[in-house]
mmCIF file of all heavy atoms in Angstrom:
data_model
loop_
_atom_site.group_PDB
_atom_site.id
_atom_site.type_symbol
_atom_site.label_atom_id
_atom_site.label_comp_id
_atom_site.label_asym_id
_atom_site.label_seq_id
_atom_site.Cartn_x
_atom_site.Cartn_y
_atom_site.Cartn_z
ATOM 1 N N HIS A 1 107.943 83.043 104.731
ATOM 2 C CA HIS A 1 108.851 81.783 104.629
ATOM 3 C C HIS A 1 107.955 80.561 104.758
ATOM 4 O O HIS A 1 108.088 79.585 104.097
ATOM 5 C CB HIS A 1 109.889 81.939 105.718
ATOM 6 C CG HIS A 1 110.590 80.623 105.748
ATOM 7 N ND1 HIS A 1 110.254 79.471 106.497
ATOM 8 C CD2 HIS A 1 111.830 80.080 105.141
ATOM 9 C CE1 HIS A 1 111.158 78.525 106.366
ATOM 10 N NE2 HIS A 1 112.201 78.926 105.551
ATOM 11 N N ASP A 2 107.041 80.584 105.784
ATOM 12 C CA ASP A 2 106.209 79.448 105.995
ATOM 13 C C ASP A 2 105.053 79.220 105.183
ATOM 14 O O ASP A 2 104.650 78.060 104.789
ATOM 15 C CB ASP A 2 105.659 79.536 107.508
ATOM 16 C CG ASP A 2 106.669 79.431 108.540
ATOM 17 O OD1 ASP A 2 107.816 79.071 108.171
ATOM 18 O OD2 ASP A 2 106.461 79.757 109.642
ATOM 19 N N HIS A 3 104.431 80.316 104.580
ATOM 20 C CA HIS A 3 103.163 80.281 103.940
ATOM 21 C C HIS A 3 103.250 80.753 102.386
ATOM 22 O O HIS A 3 102.359 80.519 101.640
ATOM 23 C CB HIS A 3 102.116 81.038 104.631
ATOM 24 C CG HIS A 3 101.789 80.360 105.922
ATOM 25 N ND1 HIS A 3 101.228 79.121 106.193
ATOM 26 C CD2 HIS A 3 102.083 80.865 107.329
ATOM 27 C CE1 HIS A 3 101.163 79.016 107.539
ATOM 28 N NE2 HIS A 3 101.709 79.957 108.215
ATOM 29 N N ARG A 4 104.219 81.586 102.156
ATOM 30 C CA ARG A 4 104.505 82.221 100.814
ATOM 31 C C ARG A 4 103.294 83.144 100.481
ATOM 32 O O ARG A 4 103.277 83.535 99.290
ATOM 33 C CB ARG A 4 104.551 81.114 99.757
ATOM 34 C CG ARG A 4 105.604 80.029 100.052
ATOM 35 C CD ARG A 4 106.990 80.689 99.996
ATOM 36 N NE ARG A 4 107.984 79.751 100.207
ATOM 37 C CZ ARG A 4 109.404 80.105 100.335
ATOM 38 N NH1 ARG A 4 109.709 81.226 100.406
ATOM 39 N NH2 ARG A 4 110.177 79.155 100.567
ATOM 40 N N ARG A 5 102.455 83.599 101.383
ATOM 41 C CA ARG A 5 101.379 84.440 101.210
ATOM 42 C C ARG A 5 100.794 84.942 102.371
ATOM 43 O O ARG A 5 100.927 84.330 103.462
ATOM 44 C CB ARG A 5 100.209 83.719 100.265
ATOM 45 C CG ARG A 5 99.638 82.605 101.092
ATOM 46 C CD ARG A 5 98.708 81.859 100.063
ATOM 47 N NE ARG A 5 97.594 82.675 99.520
ATOM 48 C CZ ARG A 5 96.894 82.427 98.449
ATOM 49 N NH1 ARG A 5 97.050 81.280 97.755
ATOM 50 N NH2 ARG A 5 95.921 83.169 98.159
ATOM 51 N N LEU A 6 100.085 86.124 102.314
ATOM 52 C CA LEU A 6 99.106 86.563 103.348
ATOM 53 C C LEU A 6 98.045 87.411 102.602
ATOM 54 O O LEU A 6 98.249 88.267 101.810
ATOM 55 C CB LEU A 6 99.961 87.662 104.230
ATOM 56 C CG LEU A 6 99.120 88.248 105.402
ATOM 57 C CD1 LEU A 6 98.707 87.075 106.346
ATOM 58 C CD2 LEU A 6 99.903 89.237 106.079
ATOM 59 N N ASP A 7 96.911 86.914 102.924
ATOM 60 C CA ASP A 7 95.700 87.397 102.410
ATOM 61 C C ASP A 7 94.939 88.321 103.181
ATOM 62 O O ASP A 7 94.125 89.116 102.790
ATOM 63 C CB ASP A 7 94.763 86.238 101.750
ATOM 64 C CG ASP A 7 95.534 85.217 100.967
ATOM 65 O OD1 ASP A 7 95.700 85.607 99.747
ATOM 66 O OD2 ASP A 7 96.087 84.242 101.441
ATOM 67 N N ILE A 8 94.946 87.928 104.415
ATOM 68 C CA ILE A 8 94.059 88.880 105.414
ATOM 69 C C ILE A 8 94.871 89.362 106.674
ATOM 70 O O ILE A 8 95.600 88.466 107.234
ATOM 71 C CB ILE A 8 92.883 87.914 105.950
ATOM 72 C CG1 ILE A 8 91.997 87.479 104.856
ATOM 73 C CG2 ILE A 8 92.117 88.756 107.046
ATOM 74 C CD1 ILE A 8 91.144 86.287 105.245
ATOM 75 N N LEU A 9 94.726 90.463 106.968
ATOM 76 C CA LEU A 9 95.388 91.076 108.111
ATOM 77 C C LEU A 9 94.221 91.686 108.972
ATOM 78 O O LEU A 9 93.539 92.542 108.600
ATOM 79 C CB LEU A 9 96.306 92.198 107.791
ATOM 80 C CG LEU A 9 96.962 93.071 108.992
ATOM 81 C CD1 LEU A 9 97.685 92.124 110.012
ATOM 82 C CD2 LEU A 9 97.791 94.222 108.549
ATOM 83 N N VAL A 10 94.183 91.176 110.213
ATOM 84 C CA VAL A 10 93.170 91.724 111.246
ATOM 85 C C VAL A 10 93.971 92.385 112.268
ATOM 86 O O VAL A 10 94.628 91.751 113.117
ATOM 87 C CB VAL A 10 92.335 90.606 111.733
ATOM 88 C CG1 VAL A 10 91.410 91.154 112.743
ATOM 89 C CG2 VAL A 10 91.499 89.900 110.715
ATOM 90 N N ASN A 11 93.994 93.755 112.220
ATOM 91 C CA ASN A 11 94.654 94.410 113.314
ATOM 92 C C ASN A 11 93.759 94.621 114.479
ATOM 93 O O ASN A 11 92.895 95.505 114.528
ATOM 94 C CB ASN A 11 95.197 95.838 112.719
ATOM 95 C CG ASN A 11 96.389 95.765 111.967
ATOM 96 O OD1 ASN A 11 97.418 95.144 112.467
ATOM 97 N ND2 ASN A 11 96.317 96.344 110.907
ATOM 98 N N ASN A 12 93.773 93.722 115.467
ATOM 99 C CA ASN A 12 92.843 93.737 116.579
ATOM 100 C C ASN A 12 93.524 94.049 117.933
ATOM 101 O O ASN A 12 92.773 94.571 118.777
ATOM 102 C CB ASN A 12 92.254 92.246 116.622
ATOM 103 C CG ASN A 12 91.529 92.033 118.072
ATOM 104 O OD1 ASN A 12 90.471 92.626 118.219
ATOM 105 N ND2 ASN A 12 92.171 91.274 118.788
ATOM 106 N N ALA A 13 94.724 93.871 118.056
ATOM 107 C CA ALA A 13 95.402 94.121 119.390
ATOM 108 C C ALA A 13 95.262 95.608 119.885
ATOM 109 O O ALA A 13 95.257 96.529 119.124
ATOM 110 C CB ALA A 13 96.961 93.767 119.319
ATOM 111 N N GLY A 14 94.935 95.723 121.140
ATOM 112 C CA GLY A 14 94.880 96.999 121.739
ATOM 113 C C GLY A 14 94.592 97.065 123.143
ATOM 114 O O GLY A 14 94.314 95.954 123.773
ATOM 115 N N ILE A 15 94.882 98.222 123.824
ATOM 116 C CA ILE A 15 94.544 98.236 125.298
ATOM 117 C C ILE A 15 93.900 99.640 125.491
ATOM 118 O O ILE A 15 93.819 100.399 124.744
ATOM 119 C CB ILE A 15 95.944 98.205 126.048
ATOM 120 C CG1 ILE A 15 96.843 99.450 125.681
ATOM 121 C CG2 ILE A 15 96.673 96.907 125.904
ATOM 122 C CD1 ILE A 15 98.063 99.602 126.589
ATOM 123 N N GLY A 16 93.368 99.785 126.702
ATOM 124 C CA GLY A 16 92.759 101.005 126.983
ATOM 125 C C GLY A 16 93.240 101.675 128.116
ATOM 126 O O GLY A 16 94.128 101.194 128.847
ATOM 127 N N ASP A 17 92.757 102.785 128.510
ATOM 128 C CA ASP A 17 93.061 103.635 129.756
ATOM 129 C C ASP A 17 91.762 103.983 130.314
ATOM 130 O O ASP A 17 90.587 103.878 129.782
ATOM 131 C CB ASP A 17 93.898 104.882 129.381
ATOM 132 C CG ASP A 17 93.346 105.693 128.272
ATOM 133 O OD1 ASP A 17 92.608 105.184 127.493
ATOM 134 O OD2 ASP A 17 93.633 106.900 128.296
ATOM 135 N N LEU A 18 91.722 104.626 131.610
ATOM 136 C CA LEU A 18 90.514 104.745 132.283
ATOM 137 C C LEU A 18 90.183 106.195 132.767
ATOM 138 O O LEU A 18 89.188 106.734 132.921
ATOM 139 C CB LEU A 18 90.491 103.798 133.604
ATOM 140 C CG LEU A 18 90.494 102.398 133.196
ATOM 141 C CD1 LEU A 18 90.612 101.578 134.551
ATOM 142 C CD2 LEU A 18 89.187 101.952 132.466
ATOM 143 N N ASP A 19 91.319 107.014 133.007
ATOM 144 C CA ASP A 19 91.227 108.281 133.683
ATOM 145 C C ASP A 19 90.786 109.474 132.751
ATOM 146 O O ASP A 19 90.995 109.284 131.576
ATOM 147 C CB ASP A 19 92.592 108.636 134.364
ATOM 148 C CG ASP A 19 92.768 107.647 135.518
ATOM 149 O OD1 ASP A 19 91.953 107.226 136.218
ATOM 150 O OD2 ASP A 19 94.033 107.305 135.882
ATOM 151 N N PRO A 20 90.422 110.476 133.416
ATOM 152 C CA PRO A 20 90.229 111.718 132.604
ATOM 153 C C PRO A 20 91.520 112.284 132.178
ATOM 154 O O PRO A 20 92.537 111.913 132.749
ATOM 155 C CB PRO A 20 89.514 112.682 133.513
ATOM 156 C CG PRO A 20 89.817 112.290 134.897
ATOM 157 C CD PRO A 20 89.857 110.671 134.765
ATOM 158 N N ILE A 21 91.592 113.212 131.231
ATOM 159 C CA ILE A 21 92.917 113.772 130.721
ATOM 160 C C ILE A 21 93.739 114.259 131.884
ATOM 161 O O ILE A 21 94.967 114.185 131.808
ATOM 162 C CB ILE A 21 92.621 114.721 129.531
ATOM 163 C CG1 ILE A 21 93.935 114.868 128.782
ATOM 164 C CG2 ILE A 21 91.977 115.964 130.017
ATOM 165 C CD1 ILE A 21 93.652 115.700 127.437
ATOM 166 N N GLU A 22 93.055 115.048 132.812
ATOM 167 C CA GLU A 22 93.868 115.604 133.826
ATOM 168 C C GLU A 22 94.712 114.604 134.565
ATOM 169 O O GLU A 22 95.779 115.063 135.251
ATOM 170 C CB GLU A 22 93.035 116.432 134.784
ATOM 171 C CG GLU A 22 92.167 117.544 134.181
ATOM 172 C CD GLU A 22 90.917 117.209 133.702
ATOM 173 O OE1 GLU A 22 90.644 115.954 133.464
ATOM 174 O OE2 GLU A 22 89.907 118.170 133.558
ATOM 175 N N ARG A 23 94.278 113.431 134.695
ATOM 176 C CA ARG A 23 94.879 112.520 135.536
ATOM 177 C C ARG A 23 95.720 111.321 134.806
ATOM 178 O O ARG A 23 96.074 110.338 135.232
ATOM 179 C CB ARG A 23 93.899 111.786 136.524
ATOM 180 C CG ARG A 23 93.334 112.797 137.471
ATOM 181 C CD ARG A 23 92.836 111.903 138.805
ATOM 182 N NE ARG A 23 91.911 111.014 138.552
ATOM 183 C CZ ARG A 23 90.669 111.062 138.499
ATOM 184 N NH1 ARG A 23 90.055 112.191 138.669
ATOM 185 N NH2 ARG A 23 89.846 110.005 138.228
ATOM 186 N N THR A 24 95.803 111.579 133.425
ATOM 187 C CA THR A 24 96.363 110.568 132.619
ATOM 188 C C THR A 24 97.898 110.970 132.405
ATOM 189 O O THR A 24 98.194 111.846 131.763
ATOM 190 C CB THR A 24 95.655 110.563 131.275
ATOM 191 O OG1 THR A 24 94.286 110.277 131.489
ATOM 192 C CG2 THR A 24 96.385 109.446 130.368
ATOM 193 N N PRO A 25 98.844 110.024 132.900
ATOM 194 C CA PRO A 25 100.242 110.447 132.663
ATOM 195 C C PRO A 25 100.475 110.275 131.089
ATOM 196 O O PRO A 25 99.948 109.432 130.411
ATOM 197 C CB PRO A 25 100.856 109.286 133.465
ATOM 198 C CG PRO A 25 99.939 108.708 134.371
ATOM 199 C CD PRO A 25 98.582 108.883 133.656
ATOM 200 N N LEU A 26 101.533 111.059 130.742
ATOM 201 C CA LEU A 26 101.973 111.040 129.461
ATOM 202 C C LEU A 26 102.389 109.511 129.003
ATOM 203 O O LEU A 26 102.163 109.023 127.949
ATOM 204 C CB LEU A 26 103.189 111.908 129.087
ATOM 205 C CG LEU A 26 103.820 111.878 127.664
ATOM 206 C CD1 LEU A 26 102.826 112.177 126.676
ATOM 207 C CD2 LEU A 26 104.987 112.811 127.652
ATOM 208 N N GLU A 27 103.067 108.782 129.933
ATOM 209 C CA GLU A 27 103.573 107.422 129.660
ATOM 210 C C GLU A 27 102.304 106.603 129.469
ATOM 211 O O GLU A 27 102.530 105.724 128.479
ATOM 212 C CB GLU A 27 104.300 106.967 130.931
ATOM 213 C CG GLU A 27 105.596 107.608 131.133
ATOM 214 C CD GLU A 27 105.485 108.988 131.845
ATOM 215 O OE1 GLU A 27 104.406 109.353 132.249
ATOM 216 O OE2 GLU A 27 106.446 109.677 131.996
ATOM 217 N N THR A 28 101.303 106.659 130.097
ATOM 218 C CA THR A 28 100.055 105.946 129.851
ATOM 219 C C THR A 28 99.457 106.152 128.419
ATOM 220 O O THR A 28 99.185 105.311 127.688
ATOM 221 C CB THR A 28 99.073 106.112 131.002
ATOM 222 O OG1 THR A 28 99.590 105.750 132.220
ATOM 223 C CG2 THR A 28 97.759 105.322 130.585
ATOM 224 N N TYR A 29 99.358 107.401 128.133
ATOM 225 C CA TYR A 29 98.759 107.885 126.850
ATOM 226 C C TYR A 29 99.725 107.430 125.731
ATOM 227 O O TYR A 29 99.054 106.810 124.747
ATOM 228 C CB TYR A 29 98.806 109.403 126.822
ATOM 229 C CG TYR A 29 98.191 109.921 125.512
ATOM 230 C CD1 TYR A 29 96.760 110.228 125.449
ATOM 231 C CD2 TYR A 29 98.965 110.304 124.431
ATOM 232 C CE1 TYR A 29 96.174 110.627 124.272
ATOM 233 C CE2 TYR A 29 98.391 110.817 123.299
ATOM 234 C CZ TYR A 29 96.970 111.050 123.243
ATOM 235 O OH TYR A 29 96.493 111.587 122.056
ATOM 236 N N ALA A 30 100.937 107.537 125.756
ATOM 237 C CA ALA A 30 101.814 107.012 124.821
ATOM 238 C C ALA A 30 101.826 105.562 124.606
ATOM 239 O O ALA A 30 101.885 105.106 123.503
ATOM 240 C CB ALA A 30 103.260 107.427 125.091
ATOM 241 N N ARG A 31 101.632 104.862 125.767
ATOM 242 C CA ARG A 31 101.670 103.322 125.576
ATOM 243 C C ARG A 31 100.320 102.980 124.992
ATOM 244 O O ARG A 31 100.289 101.974 124.192
ATOM 245 C CB ARG A 31 101.741 102.733 126.986
ATOM 246 C CG ARG A 31 101.623 101.155 126.971
ATOM 247 C CD ARG A 31 102.112 100.671 128.329
ATOM 248 N NE ARG A 31 102.156 99.142 128.404
ATOM 249 C CZ ARG A 31 101.088 98.444 128.657
ATOM 250 N NH1 ARG A 31 99.989 99.058 129.150
ATOM 251 N NH2 ARG A 31 101.164 97.106 128.711
ATOM 252 N N VAL A 32 99.206 103.532 125.325
ATOM 253 C CA VAL A 32 97.956 103.095 124.735
ATOM 254 C C VAL A 32 98.034 103.422 123.173
ATOM 255 O O VAL A 32 97.606 102.611 122.307
ATOM 256 C CB VAL A 32 96.700 103.958 125.317
ATOM 257 C CG1 VAL A 32 95.462 103.721 124.474
ATOM 258 C CG2 VAL A 32 96.685 103.453 126.780
ATOM 259 N N VAL A 33 98.498 104.616 122.776
ATOM 260 C CA VAL A 33 98.666 104.955 121.298
ATOM 261 C C VAL A 33 99.469 103.979 120.656
ATOM 262 O O VAL A 33 99.312 103.528 119.441
ATOM 263 C CB VAL A 33 99.107 106.429 121.359
ATOM 264 C CG1 VAL A 33 99.627 106.638 119.802
ATOM 265 C CG2 VAL A 33 98.067 107.319 121.699
ATOM 266 N N ALA A 34 100.622 103.592 121.300
ATOM 267 C CA ALA A 34 101.563 102.669 120.635
ATOM 268 C C ALA A 34 100.957 101.234 120.297
ATOM 269 O O ALA A 34 101.214 100.765 119.224
ATOM 270 C CB ALA A 34 102.837 102.629 121.513
ATOM 271 N N ILE A 35 100.221 100.726 121.364
ATOM 272 C CA ILE A 35 99.680 99.469 121.119
ATOM 273 C C ILE A 35 98.421 99.442 120.324
ATOM 274 O O ILE A 35 98.291 98.412 119.662
ATOM 275 C CB ILE A 35 99.483 98.769 122.517
ATOM 276 C CG1 ILE A 35 100.916 98.607 123.238
ATOM 277 C CG2 ILE A 35 98.767 97.544 122.404
ATOM 278 C CD1 ILE A 35 100.889 98.115 124.625
ATOM 279 N N THR A 36 97.618 100.451 120.452
ATOM 280 C CA THR A 36 96.390 100.427 119.860
ATOM 281 C C THR A 36 96.257 101.096 118.473
ATOM 282 O O THR A 36 95.540 100.807 117.514
ATOM 283 C CB THR A 36 95.351 101.162 120.712
ATOM 284 O OG1 THR A 36 95.348 100.572 122.037
ATOM 285 C CG2 THR A 36 93.932 101.174 120.302
ATOM 286 N N GLN A 37 97.127 102.177 118.260
ATOM 287 C CA GLN A 37 97.063 102.967 116.960
ATOM 288 C C GLN A 37 98.359 102.708 116.135
ATOM 289 O O GLN A 37 98.329 102.287 115.009
ATOM 290 C CB GLN A 37 96.998 104.416 117.376
ATOM 291 C CG GLN A 37 97.210 105.297 116.125
ATOM 292 C CD GLN A 37 97.459 106.745 116.481
ATOM 293 O OE1 GLN A 37 97.015 107.187 117.588
ATOM 294 N NE2 GLN A 37 98.187 107.481 115.621
ATOM 295 N N THR A 38 99.576 102.798 116.775
ATOM 296 C CA THR A 38 100.754 102.723 115.993
ATOM 297 C C THR A 38 100.927 101.318 115.402
ATOM 298 O O THR A 38 101.366 101.002 114.332
ATOM 299 C CB THR A 38 101.998 103.125 116.827
ATOM 300 O OG1 THR A 38 101.927 104.467 117.433
ATOM 301 C CG2 THR A 38 103.351 103.008 115.970
ATOM 302 N N SER A 39 100.344 100.343 116.182
ATOM 303 C CA SER A 39 100.516 98.985 115.774
ATOM 304 C C SER A 39 99.886 98.755 114.420
ATOM 305 O O SER A 39 100.195 97.941 113.593
ATOM 306 C CB SER A 39 99.678 98.092 116.839
ATOM 307 O OG SER A 39 98.389 98.520 116.923
ATOM 308 N N VAL A 40 98.680 99.439 114.231
ATOM 309 C CA VAL A 40 98.058 99.387 112.901
ATOM 310 C C VAL A 40 98.786 99.931 111.734
ATOM 311 O O VAL A 40 98.910 99.194 110.666
ATOM 312 C CB VAL A 40 96.632 100.034 113.052
ATOM 313 C CG1 VAL A 40 95.843 99.981 111.728
ATOM 314 C CG2 VAL A 40 95.833 99.428 114.092
ATOM 315 N N PHE A 41 99.429 100.978 111.963
ATOM 316 C CA PHE A 41 100.377 101.557 110.913
ATOM 317 C C PHE A 41 101.526 100.570 110.758
ATOM 318 O O PHE A 41 101.756 100.264 109.499
ATOM 319 C CB PHE A 41 100.996 102.942 111.429
ATOM 320 C CG PHE A 41 102.192 103.296 110.817
ATOM 321 C CD1 PHE A 41 102.089 104.023 109.533
ATOM 322 C CD2 PHE A 41 103.332 103.135 111.389
ATOM 323 C CE1 PHE A 41 103.231 104.430 108.856
ATOM 324 C CE2 PHE A 41 104.556 103.644 110.677
ATOM 325 C CZ PHE A 41 104.487 104.241 109.463
ATOM 326 N N LEU A 42 102.179 100.089 111.800
ATOM 327 C CA LEU A 42 103.213 99.170 111.619
ATOM 328 C C LEU A 42 102.826 97.775 110.842
ATOM 329 O O LEU A 42 103.511 97.308 110.036
ATOM 330 C CB LEU A 42 103.839 98.851 112.862
ATOM 331 C CG LEU A 42 104.607 99.877 113.683
ATOM 332 C CD1 LEU A 42 105.081 99.503 114.907
ATOM 333 C CD2 LEU A 42 105.732 100.380 112.791
ATOM 334 N N GLY A 43 101.605 97.293 111.270
ATOM 335 C CA GLY A 43 101.183 96.148 110.698
ATOM 336 C C GLY A 43 100.847 96.304 109.191
ATOM 337 O O GLY A 43 101.288 95.283 108.336
ATOM 338 N N MET A 44 100.205 97.377 108.787
ATOM 339 C CA MET A 44 99.970 97.483 107.327
ATOM 340 C C MET A 44 101.166 97.768 106.508
ATOM 341 O O MET A 44 101.422 97.245 105.377
ATOM 342 C CB MET A 44 98.994 98.592 107.160
ATOM 343 C CG MET A 44 97.496 98.233 107.537
ATOM 344 S SD MET A 44 96.254 99.416 107.027
ATOM 345 C CE MET A 44 96.595 100.879 108.133
ATOM 346 N N LYS A 45 102.169 98.461 107.146
ATOM 347 C CA LYS A 45 103.429 98.838 106.519
ATOM 348 C C LYS A 45 104.271 97.435 106.322
ATOM 349 O O LYS A 45 104.788 97.204 105.213
ATOM 350 C CB LYS A 45 104.214 99.761 107.354
ATOM 351 C CG LYS A 45 105.585 100.151 106.725
ATOM 352 C CD LYS A 45 106.259 101.150 107.583
ATOM 353 C CE LYS A 45 107.568 101.536 106.908
ATOM 354 N NZ LYS A 45 108.399 102.473 107.809
ATOM 355 N N ALA A 46 104.294 96.604 107.379
ATOM 356 C CA ALA A 46 105.136 95.400 107.317
ATOM 357 C C ALA A 46 104.586 94.355 106.402
ATOM 358 O O ALA A 46 105.421 93.594 105.769
ATOM 359 C CB ALA A 46 105.318 94.902 108.772
ATOM 360 N N THR A 47 103.285 94.359 106.131
ATOM 361 C CA THR A 47 102.686 93.240 105.488
ATOM 362 C C THR A 47 102.178 93.701 104.081
ATOM 363 O O THR A 47 101.544 92.999 103.250
ATOM 364 C CB THR A 47 101.478 92.567 106.084
ATOM 365 O OG1 THR A 47 100.456 93.625 106.348
ATOM 366 C CG2 THR A 47 101.836 92.106 107.430
#
């Protein structure tokens, strides 16, 4: 609406986790994947 175009998409947003796999809660893993990985899929799909 505002620009009538999009030429460049930079998928930069992301977060990290710190623990080894034995101490990583599923909720933490899923949140990191959602913000760091799924976001890239959603961004390219939407634009």
